[in-house]
Amino acid sequence: MKATVSANFKKYAKKTIVSIAVFAVTYLFLLFFAVGVTFLFGWLGIQLFLLYPSFYTGIACLGLMATGLTVLFFLIKFVFASNKIDTSHLTEITQEEEPALFATIYYVARTVETNLPKRVFLSSDVNAAVFYNSNFWSMFLPVPKNLQIGVGLINSTTQQELIAILAHEFGHFSQRSMKVGTYVYQANQVIYNMLYRNESLDNTFQSWANATGYAAPFIAISIFIIKQIQRILKKLYTYLNLNYMALSREMEFHADEIAAHVAGSQALADSLLRINFASSALESVLAFYDQKTKENIKSENIYPEHQFVMNTFAERHQYLIENGLPKIDLTTIRKYNKSKLNLENQWASHPSDEERIHALSKLNISKDKVASDHAILLLSQDAQITKAISDKLFSTITYESTPSALSLSLFKESFTAEFRKHQFDPMFNDFYDNNEPILTDLADNNEKEIDLTFEDLFSNQKMDMLYTYASAQSDKFMVEAIVEGNIDLKTFDYDGIKYNKKDAPQVLEQINHEVTTLQDQIKESNKQVYSYFLNLATHQNRKDEFLRHYQEYATAHEKHQEQLRLHNQLCEGTQFIFVTTPFEEISDKLKALQEPVSLLRKKLTHVLEQPDLRLQFSAEALPSIQKFIDNELVYFEANEYISENLEVLFTNINEYRVIIDNTYFTSKKNYLQSLIKLEKNIDMLSTVS
């Protein structure tokens, strides 16, 4: 199959080839330098020994020769390095075991005109990849490639979509034009190995130091020369990587085009739009069982559960179900992301899903025959392999006793209960997920009639306002980073207009105005909601009850804000631990932490005294919490951090955040449920009348 090579692909391929040439020339120069140093140091050592033969000059001779050889080895060690992929977490399958799946793989390989994979593995996740064990010689010798397919992916695609994804993966290796990617990848690996994988050299230096104290000056000389070489290589790595990342983006578009020719544009677009959703659903299943570990409960098979959770989430977000799978279109992505800011990220190796889908729609390649059946049907033996993959996943978890498997029906019941417990009523249309209905001027909100219905108050237009506000806040953060110089770029786009870096303050002013306007609109919406329900409660003779519920919630909100301030103070106050800090500063900063840590201890003591709140702590965290409460822990002593005590501190800070968020969520949900009761009660009264 011959896919069109875009002008951008050609442009970045040329740039990348130039960068590889620069790398090759620079490397050869450094190599000749290292050879010269080796001969020079060897010659000097021999001459020194011949002129002044003694034990010490003999040591110096050997040391100089070893120094030169060490520098030379540093520059050629990558030739012997290899990158071997760990497959212990994967399950290999054969054609005899899974004939239908292999038939699909063979069809894709033939159509794309590439070699069949040497081995095929199944993983547990929502992903697919072609991988191989690589080394320096991979640039010149053919390397057999393996295919990994996630059962989570098979579980969340149609057969046509799976064909499209496999064609994309094979497409990376089927075209001669993609070979440049292999060269630049290996060049990157070479530099990376020289910069960051120096265990063998470190071990050599350590063995020298252990063997004799005379090695110290020669180790210092070796390290000095190697560090100078690394300084050059770091600049080269940045230069090469910039071009590689840009080319990688074009390679993704190229592989997408190949996939579109095989399976059609729509199949790949649909799978791209669903993959993140499916991944989130699978993560939710695994998070559910993470909470069940202390109860010694595991899954009978996570993949039917994964399917159930996908459909549950789809129902919650009002997505259509097509071919047994949630149908997600591009408007869904745009619904949540209303950013007007576009920064061309030269460090991004992949284009965004939206960019890829836009390119696929421009190709507009359709297929008459579409395999719309669920891809999971390709697995044989009633998909027993899915249970085997699920069991393998849970075999890595340590249980206190032999775990019992939760049936699908019990999972559905338990997950649904947990899901609803942590969700606000869907009647609110997610309006309160990231919006706090707190008013600062209650006196201005009387019982006047407002010309809005419940549906008006929580319409999609209101949600768009909240999503626009969230995106504007994100844009503001990014442009502030540009103004402060934390993001280095020459130009950027905002609202379809290209700006230079010097224009960032002007754009920031524009965004700030938009943020303020949206804040005012959200405040007005919250006032309207309050007035609507105050009026409703008054007509139902439940005004005092409504005001009491609101005041309870407002008190909980104020308390939560106070608790968050303590949590933020602790997080900010411990940041110095994660960076290099002078000893005297560490002592001062720990003294400044004493008051907030003491307050945290009091807060957690109060929580433990309340049985309903104590139950919210995980069993694993309770001993750490008790230790923190019962002891004045020391975190730094004899110029060393005490890691065990710091771990206790951070566990308590994190658990405190969990408990205050859960408590606040419950208060907010109770208040919102009281509003739903008022709305449903008026509906009942209307029906009766």
Side-chain angles (χ1 to χ4, degrees):
M1 173 180 291
K2 189 73 173 175
T4 306
V5 179
S6 69
N8 269 349
F9 186 97
K10 291 177 181 176
K11 180 178 79 171
Y12 289 118
K14 288 176 182 175
K15 283 188 172 183
T16 304
I17 290 169
V18 170
S19 64
I20 293 173
V22 171
F23 160 71
V25 170
T26 306
Y27 174 74
L28 287 173
F29 170 79
L30 292 172
L31 185 61
F32 286 135
F33 167 77
V35 170
V37 166
T38 303
F39 278 109
L40 176 63
F41 280 16
W43 181 82
L44 286 174
I46 292 169
Q47 293 301 311
L48 181 65
F49 182 73
L50 291 175
L51 286 172
Y52 306 101
S54 70
F55 171 78
Y56 294 107
T57 55
I59 291 291
C61 176
L62 292 174
L64 286 168
M65 292 174 69
T67 298
L69 289 170
T70 300
V71 174
L72 183 61
F73 174 68
F74 170 75
L75 281 166
I76 63 170
K77 67 187 177 72
F78 72 87
V79 174
F80 310 101
S82 63
N83 180 30
K84 190 170 184 180
I85 306 296
D86 178 23
T87 59
S88 60
H89 64 294
L90 305 176
T91 300
E92 186 173 3
I93 55 172
T94 64
Q95 185 176 5
E96 290 72 25
E97 293 168 334
E98 299 296 340
L101 180 58
F102 269 77
T104 300
I105 294 169
Y106 289 171
Y107 164 74
V108 174
R110 284 195 309 271
T111 309
V112 175
E113 299 176 9
T114 191
N115 295 328
L116 294 171
K118 181 182 179 183
R119 301 167 73 185
V120 177
F121 297 88
L122 293 181
S123 65
S124 61
D125 54 10
V126 185
N127 194 17
V130 172
F131 68 93
Y132 55 95
N133 297 326
S134 65
N135 54 40
F136 172 71
W137 305 107
S138 302
M139 288 191 285
F140 312 106
L141 302 174
V143 181
K145 298 172 178 66
N146 305 313
L147 175 63
Q148 172 190 333
I149 311 175
V151 175
L153 179 70
I154 299 173
N155 201 43
S156 51
T157 54
T158 66
Q159 293 179 20
Q160 192 75 10
E161 291 165 357
L162 183 61
I163 288 170
I165 293 168
L166 295 179
H168 172 93
E169 294 302 326
F170 287 150
H172 278 301
F173 304 96
S174 65
Q175 308 286 296
R176 288 182 61 193
S177 55
M178 305 293 257
K179 188 67 176 175
V180 67
T182 304
Y183 285 104
V184 74
Y185 172 77
Q186 291 300 335
N188 260 12
Q189 286 293 104
V190 166
I191 304 176
Y192 181 84
N193 288 339
M194 286 192 282
L195 288 174
Y196 304 111
R197 296 182 65 178
N198 292 304
E199 298 89 350
S200 57
L201 274 178
D202 293 340
N203 292 335
T204 300
F205 289 147
Q206 188 61 49
S207 61
W208 284 11
N210 292 338
T212 174
Y214 298 116
F218 303 107
I219 292 174
I221 294 170
S222 299
I223 291 174
F224 174 78
I225 295 172
I226 288 171
K227 282 189 177 297
Q228 304 317 305
I229 293 173
Q230 284 181 321
R231 285 179 62 187
I232 297 170
L233 290 174
K234 282 180 181 178
K235 293 183 182 297
L236 193 60
Y237 186 71
T238 301
Y239 167 64
L240 184 62
N241 230 29
L242 280 173
N243 288 327
Y244 176 53
M245 293 299 179
L247 178 63
S248 293
R249 289 169 56 83
E250 295 306 316
M251 289 168 68
E252 286 300 309
F253 288 125
H254 195 60
D256 280 352
E257 184 174 346
I258 291 169
H261 279 291
V262 174
S265 297
Q266 193 61 49
L268 184 58
D270 286 345
S271 63
L272 287 173
L273 286 163
R274 194 184 303 113
I275 281 175
N276 287 336
F277 177 84
S279 295
S280 177
L282 186 58
E283 287 167 7
S284 295
V285 175
L286 297 176
F288 171 86
Y289 280 108
D290 186 51
Q291 298 299 316
K292 297 292 181 184
T293 303
K294 58 189 175 185
E295 300 174 38
N296 296 309
I297 292 175
K298 73 179 191 71
S299 172
E300 191 174 62
N301 186 341
I302 61 171
Y303 294 105
E305 297 166 350
H306 177 216
Q307 185 70 44
F308 170 76
V309 172
M310 276 195 292
N311 289 338
T312 299
F313 286 178
E315 181 183 356
R316 179 70 176 81
H317 293 290
Q318 300 177 356
Y319 298 157
L320 294 175
I321 301 294
E322 190 176 278
N323 300 317
L325 294 165
K327 175 73 173 176
I328 304 173
D329 55 34
L330 197 54
T331 56
T332 301
I333 293 178
R334 290 173 176 160
K335 172 183 175 182
Y336 300 108
N337 182 13
K338 297 185 176 296
S339 172
K340 298 179 182 179
L341 187 65
N342 180 29
L343 309 179
E344 186 177 346
N345 187 356
Q346 53 191 336
W347 288 103
S349 62
H350 280 60
S352 68
D353 287 345
E354 187 165 353
E355 288 174 303
R356 293 174 68 184
I357 291 163
H358 178 67
L360 286 166
S361 66
K362 286 177 68 177
L363 288 171
N364 195 27
I365 299 172
S366 60
K367 293 291 175 180
D368 295 331
K369 189 176 180 181
V370 175
S372 57
D373 289 339
H374 200 303
I376 202 73
L377 298 175
L378 293 171
L379 297 176
S380 61
Q381 305 174 14
D382 297 323
Q384 282 300 305
I385 188 67
T386 64
K387 187 177 187 312
I389 299 292
S390 179
D391 288 343
K392 186 171 185 174
L393 187 62
F394 281 90
S395 69
T396 61
I397 301 173
T398 303
Y399 295 93
E400 292 182 1
S401 60
T402 303
S404 57
L406 195 66
S407 68
L408 179 59
S409 59
L410 286 176
F411 170 82
K412 289 180 178 179
E413 182 182 329
S414 183
F415 183 87
T416 301
E418 282 293 311
F419 181 69
R420 289 176 178 168
K421 179 181 174 183
H422 295 95
Q423 296 286 323
F424 298 129
D425 196 294
M427 285 181 66
F428 289 116
N429 194 24
D430 299 334
F431 185 73
Y432 289 118
D433 285 4
N434 296 291
N435 174 29
E436 312 304 327
I438 290 294
L439 304 181
T440 55
D441 47 359
L442 280 179
D444 295 337
N445 290 271
N446 50 38
E447 299 160 36
K448 64 181 179 181
E449 297 282 350
I450 61 171
D451 189 23
L452 291 171
T453 64
F454 184 93
E455 289 73 21
D456 293 331
L457 293 170
F458 305 107
S459 65
N460 288 335
Q461 287 77 13
K462 296 289 186 181
M463 285 308 304
D464 282 344
M465 174 182 65
L466 292 176
Y467 294 139
T468 302
Y469 175 67
S471 295
Q473 288 277 54
S474 177
D475 289 350
K476 176 182 175 180
F477 174 79
M478 296 299 288
V479 176
E480 282 176 341
I482 295 172
V483 171
E484 293 165 5
N486 296 326
I487 295 179
D488 187 21
L489 43 70
K490 293 179 181 178
T491 63
F492 62 95
D493 292 352
Y494 183 76
D495 203 12
I497 301 173
K498 185 174 287 293
Y499 292 93
N500 292 317
K501 182 180 179 180
K502 63 181 177 60
D503 299 320
Q506 169 195 338
V507 176
L508 182 59
E509 186 178 343
Q510 181 182 341
I511 296 174
N512 281 331
H513 176 72
E514 182 178 0
V515 167
T516 302
T517 301
L518 287 164
Q519 284 174 336
D520 291 341
Q521 291 173 359
I522 293 169
K523 286 179 184 176
E524 182 58 32
S525 289
N526 284 331
K527 285 182 181 180
Q528 290 172 348
V529 171
Y530 182 89
S531 295
Y532 174 85
F533 282 105
L534 176 60
N535 183 63
L536 211 59
T538 302
H539 282 292
Q540 296 178 30
N541 295 319
R542 298 168 69 180
K543 178 180 176 181
D544 290 343
E545 180 185 337
F546 167 76
L547 293 175
R548 176 171 56 81
H549 282 305
Y550 175 81
Q551 193 54 54
E552 287 173 353
Y553 166 63
T555 302
H557 180 267
E558 185 178 348
K559 182 178 180 181
H560 186 243
Q561 293 301 303
E562 176 195 336
Q563 292 167 331
L564 281 179
R565 283 192 287 272
L566 172 60
H567 178 265
N568 292 338
Q569 185 181 1
L570 287 162
C571 289
E572 291 168 7
T574 53
Q575 284 301 304
F576 70 92
I577 295 170
F578 303 101
V579 297
T580 303
T581 308
F583 293 149
E584 60 275 11
E585 284 188 33
I586 292 174
S587 299
D588 292 340
K589 289 180 181 296
L590 284 172
K591 284 179 183 177
L593 266 178
Q594 286 178 353
E595 186 177 340
V597 166
S598 176
L599 183 55
L600 176 65
R601 187 175 291 110
K602 290 178 184 176
K603 297 278 187 184
L604 289 172
T605 301
H606 178 66
V607 169
L608 285 184
E609 290 169 353
Q610 302 176 65
D612 57 329
L613 292 180
R614 184 188 179 98
L615 287 172
Q616 294 186 38
F617 288 127
S618 64
E620 296 82 3
L622 275 173
S624 180
I625 295 170
Q626 200 65 57
K627 181 178 180 179
F628 177 73
I629 288 173
D630 294 342
N631 301 278
E632 293 278 351
L633 299 176
V634 176
Y635 304 108
F636 185 77
E637 194 172 50
N639 292 341
E640 256 187 5
Y641 284 118
I642 304 175
S643 300
E644 182 183 347
N645 290 349
L646 283 175
E647 186 177 345
V648 169
L649 174 63
F650 290 126
T651 297
N652 280 266
I653 293 172
N654 293 336
E655 289 291 325
Y656 177 66
R657 178 61 188 263
V658 170
I659 201 77
I660 65 174
D661 285 351
N662 286 345
T663 304
Y664 174 63
F665 178 86
T666 301
S667 299
K668 185 175 178 180
K669 185 171 183 177
N670 289 340
Y671 169 64
L672 295 179
Q673 283 302 115
S674 73
L675 303 187
I676 291 294
K677 287 179 182 178
L678 287 172
E679 180 64 23
K680 288 183 175 178
N681 191 51
I682 198 67
D683 289 342
M684 290 174 60
L685 292 174
S686 299
T687 303
V688 171
S689 61

Tab-separated table of all heavy atoms in Angstrom, residues 409-431:
chain	number	residue	atom	x	y	z
A	409	SER	N	-23.411	-9.881	38.631
A	409	SER	CA	-24.640	-9.258	39.150
A	409	SER	C	-24.364	-8.474	40.428
A	409	SER	O	-24.877	-7.363	40.618
A	409	SER	CB	-25.713	-10.324	39.399
A	409	SER	OG	-25.244	-11.292	40.319
A	410	LEU	N	-23.521	-9.043	41.313
A	410	LEU	CA	-23.197	-8.333	42.557
A	410	LEU	C	-22.324	-7.113	42.274
A	410	LEU	O	-22.441	-6.085	42.946
A	410	LEU	CB	-22.490	-9.268	43.531
A	410	LEU	CG	-23.377	-10.310	44.219
A	410	LEU	CD1	-22.549	-11.243	45.095
A	410	LEU	CD2	-24.460	-9.620	45.065
A	411	PHE	N	-21.427	-7.231	41.276
A	411	PHE	CA	-20.623	-6.071	40.894
A	411	PHE	C	-21.522	-4.930	40.425
A	411	PHE	O	-21.337	-3.782	40.833
A	411	PHE	CB	-19.634	-6.437	39.781
A	411	PHE	CG	-18.958	-5.224	39.189
A	411	PHE	CD1	-17.863	-4.653	39.802
A	411	PHE	CD2	-19.453	-4.629	38.028
A	411	PHE	CE1	-17.258	-3.515	39.284
A	411	PHE	CE2	-18.858	-3.494	37.498
A	411	PHE	CZ	-17.753	-2.938	38.126
A	412	LYS	N	-22.472	-5.247	39.556
A	412	LYS	CA	-23.368	-4.208	39.030
A	412	LYS	C	-24.105	-3.502	40.156
A	412	LYS	O	-24.200	-2.263	40.178
A	412	LYS	CB	-24.370	-4.834	38.058
A	412	LYS	CG	-23.776	-5.283	36.735
A	412	LYS	CD	-24.854	-5.895	35.841
A	412	LYS	CE	-24.286	-6.302	34.482
A	412	LYS	NZ	-25.316	-6.917	33.606
A	413	GLU	N	-24.580	-4.284	41.087
A	413	GLU	CA	-25.328	-3.713	42.209
A	413	GLU	C	-24.442	-2.831	43.077
A	413	GLU	O	-24.797	-1.694	43.417
A	413	GLU	CB	-25.911	-4.870	43.038
A	413	GLU	CG	-26.757	-4.427	44.215
A	413	GLU	CD	-27.267	-5.613	45.023
A	413	GLU	OE1	-27.500	-6.694	44.435
A	413	GLU	OE2	-27.423	-5.460	46.249
A	414	SER	N	-23.248	-3.355	43.414
A	414	SER	CA	-22.346	-2.623	44.300
A	414	SER	C	-21.763	-1.396	43.612
A	414	SER	O	-21.696	-0.307	44.214
A	414	SER	CB	-21.224	-3.557	44.756
A	414	SER	OG	-20.382	-2.909	45.664
A	415	PHE	N	-21.347	-1.534	42.345
A	415	PHE	CA	-20.757	-0.402	41.632
A	415	PHE	C	-21.788	0.710	41.438
A	415	PHE	O	-21.475	1.892	41.606
A	415	PHE	CB	-20.209	-0.844	40.281
A	415	PHE	CG	-19.513	0.270	39.528
A	415	PHE	CD1	-18.172	0.530	39.733
A	415	PHE	CD2	-20.220	1.085	38.643
A	415	PHE	CE1	-17.533	1.565	39.068
A	415	PHE	CE2	-19.588	2.127	37.971
A	415	PHE	CZ	-18.243	2.366	38.187
A	416	THR	N	-23.004	0.330	41.076
A	416	THR	CA	-24.058	1.326	40.861
A	416	THR	C	-24.319	2.118	42.139
A	416	THR	O	-24.471	3.349	42.102
A	416	THR	CB	-25.353	0.646	40.388
A	416	THR	OG1	-25.087	-0.057	39.166
A	416	THR	CG2	-26.455	1.671	40.142
A	417	ALA	N	-24.353	1.406	43.262
A	417	ALA	CA	-24.579	2.086	44.544
A	417	ALA	C	-23.443	3.064	44.844
A	417	ALA	O	-23.682	4.210	45.254
A	417	ALA	CB	-24.694	1.055	45.660
A	418	GLU	N	-22.192	2.637	44.625
A	418	GLU	CA	-21.044	3.508	44.853
A	418	GLU	C	-21.046	4.687	43.890
A	418	GLU	O	-20.740	5.821	44.270
A	418	GLU	CB	-19.744	2.714	44.687
A	418	GLU	CG	-19.386	1.830	45.863
A	418	GLU	CD	-19.042	2.632	47.100
A	418	GLU	OE1	-18.234	3.572	46.991
A	418	GLU	OE2	-19.591	2.338	48.169
A	419	PHE	N	-21.394	4.409	42.649
A	419	PHE	CA	-21.409	5.452	41.623
A	419	PHE	C	-22.422	6.539	41.971
A	419	PHE	O	-22.121	7.735	41.888
A	419	PHE	CB	-21.735	4.812	40.268
A	419	PHE	CG	-21.769	5.784	39.114
A	419	PHE	CD1	-20.606	6.381	38.662
A	419	PHE	CD2	-22.965	6.094	38.479
A	419	PHE	CE1	-20.625	7.271	37.598
A	419	PHE	CE2	-22.997	6.980	37.421
A	419	PHE	CZ	-21.822	7.569	36.981
A	420	ARG	N	-23.608	6.118	42.346
A	420	ARG	CA	-24.649	7.094	42.706
A	420	ARG	C	-24.299	7.845	43.981
A	420	ARG	O	-24.633	9.018	44.138
A	420	ARG	CB	-25.989	6.373	42.862
A	420	ARG	CG	-26.567	5.884	41.533
A	420	ARG	CD	-27.833	5.101	41.718
A	420	ARG	NE	-28.379	4.684	40.430
A	420	ARG	CZ	-29.349	3.792	40.288
A	420	ARG	NH1	-29.878	3.205	41.361
A	420	ARG	NH2	-29.786	3.462	39.085
A	421	LYS	N	-23.610	7.145	44.881
A	421	LYS	CA	-23.221	7.769	46.146
A	421	LYS	C	-22.304	8.956	45.912
A	421	LYS	O	-22.336	9.936	46.657
A	421	LYS	CB	-22.531	6.709	47.020
A	421	LYS	CG	-22.041	7.213	48.363
A	421	LYS	CD	-21.360	6.080	49.111
A	421	LYS	CE	-20.729	6.573	50.405
A	421	LYS	NZ	-20.006	5.469	51.103
A	422	HIS	N	-21.489	8.885	44.862
A	422	HIS	CA	-20.507	9.934	44.591
A	422	HIS	C	-20.908	10.829	43.425
A	422	HIS	O	-20.068	11.474	42.803
A	422	HIS	CB	-19.134	9.310	44.325
A	422	HIS	CG	-18.567	8.615	45.527
A	422	HIS	ND1	-18.705	7.263	45.737
A	422	HIS	CD2	-17.872	9.092	46.604
A	422	HIS	CE1	-18.114	6.936	46.868
A	422	HIS	NE2	-17.601	8.018	47.412
A	423	GLN	N	-22.200	10.846	43.113
A	423	GLN	CA	-22.703	11.697	42.045
A	423	GLN	C	-23.848	12.561	42.567
A	423	GLN	O	-24.612	12.137	43.433
A	423	GLN	CB	-23.235	10.845	40.878
A	423	GLN	CG	-22.184	10.003	40.180
A	423	GLN	CD	-21.279	10.837	39.312
A	423	GLN	OE1	-21.711	11.790	38.676
A	423	GLN	NE2	-20.003	10.478	39.281
A	424	PHE	N	-23.964	13.761	42.032
A	424	PHE	CA	-25.143	14.558	42.313
A	424	PHE	C	-26.272	14.105	41.400
A	424	PHE	O	-26.033	13.454	40.376
A	424	PHE	CB	-24.847	16.047	42.097
A	424	PHE	CG	-23.774	16.581	43.002
A	424	PHE	CD1	-22.695	17.286	42.487
A	424	PHE	CD2	-23.835	16.382	44.376
A	424	PHE	CE1	-21.698	17.771	43.308
A	424	PHE	CE2	-22.838	16.866	45.211
A	424	PHE	CZ	-21.765	17.564	44.675
A	425	ASP	N	-27.492	14.447	41.780
A	425	ASP	CA	-28.648	14.009	40.997
A	425	ASP	C	-28.505	14.461	39.542
A	425	ASP	O	-28.201	15.627	39.273
A	425	ASP	CB	-29.932	14.603	41.597
A	425	ASP	CG	-31.173	13.899	41.089
A	425	ASP	OD1	-31.442	14.012	39.875
A	425	ASP	OD2	-31.855	13.242	41.886
A	426	PRO	N	-28.716	13.531	38.575
A	426	PRO	CA	-28.560	13.903	37.157
A	426	PRO	C	-29.522	14.998	36.702
A	426	PRO	O	-29.299	15.611	35.656
A	426	PRO	CB	-28.816	12.588	36.415
A	426	PRO	CG	-29.489	11.683	37.393
A	426	PRO	CD	-29.011	12.091	38.736
A	427	MET	N	-30.576	15.274	37.474
A	427	MET	CA	-31.501	16.354	37.108
A	427	MET	C	-30.781	17.705	37.026
A	427	MET	O	-31.207	18.595	36.292
A	427	MET	CB	-32.658	16.435	38.118
A	427	MET	CG	-33.696	15.333	37.962
A	427	MET	SD	-35.046	15.490	39.164
A	427	MET	CE	-35.819	17.023	38.618
A	428	PHE	N	-29.666	17.836	37.765
A	428	PHE	CA	-28.919	19.097	37.757
A	428	PHE	C	-28.014	19.239	36.533
A	428	PHE	O	-27.378	20.281	36.357
A	428	PHE	CB	-28.085	19.227	39.031
A	428	PHE	CG	-28.889	19.473	40.273
A	428	PHE	CD1	-28.897	18.543	41.300
A	428	PHE	CD2	-29.641	20.623	40.409
A	428	PHE	CE1	-29.639	18.768	42.452
A	428	PHE	CE2	-30.390	20.849	41.559
A	428	PHE	CZ	-30.397	19.912	42.586
A	429	ASN	N	-27.938	18.181	35.715
A	429	ASN	CA	-27.191	18.253	34.452
A	429	ASN	C	-25.718	18.620	34.673
A	429	ASN	O	-25.120	19.368	33.890
A	429	ASN	CB	-27.862	19.272	33.506
A	429	ASN	CG	-27.370	19.165	32.076
A	429	ASN	OD1	-26.895	18.115	31.655
A	429	ASN	ND2	-27.470	20.256	31.329
A	430	ASP	N	-25.130	18.109	35.783
A	430	ASP	CA	-23.717	18.347	36.135
A	430	ASP	C	-23.414	19.803	36.483
A	430	ASP	O	-22.243	20.199	36.561
A	430	ASP	CB	-22.783	17.912	34.995
A	430	ASP	CG	-22.889	16.428	34.683
A	430	ASP	OD1	-23.263	15.664	35.583
A	430	ASP	OD2	-22.614	16.037	33.538
A	431	PHE	N	-24.451	20.599	36.697
A	431	PHE	CA	-24.261	22.030	36.937
A	431	PHE	C	-23.450	22.296	38.209
A	431	PHE	O	-22.747	23.312	38.308
A	431	PHE	CB	-25.628	22.716	37.044
A	431	PHE	CG	-25.571	24.212	37.162
A	431	PHE	CD1	-25.245	24.998	36.066
A	431	PHE	CD2	-25.839	24.839	38.366
A	431	PHE	CE1	-25.195	26.385	36.169
A	431	PHE	CE2	-25.786	26.225	38.477
A	431	PHE	CZ	-25.469	26.994	37.374
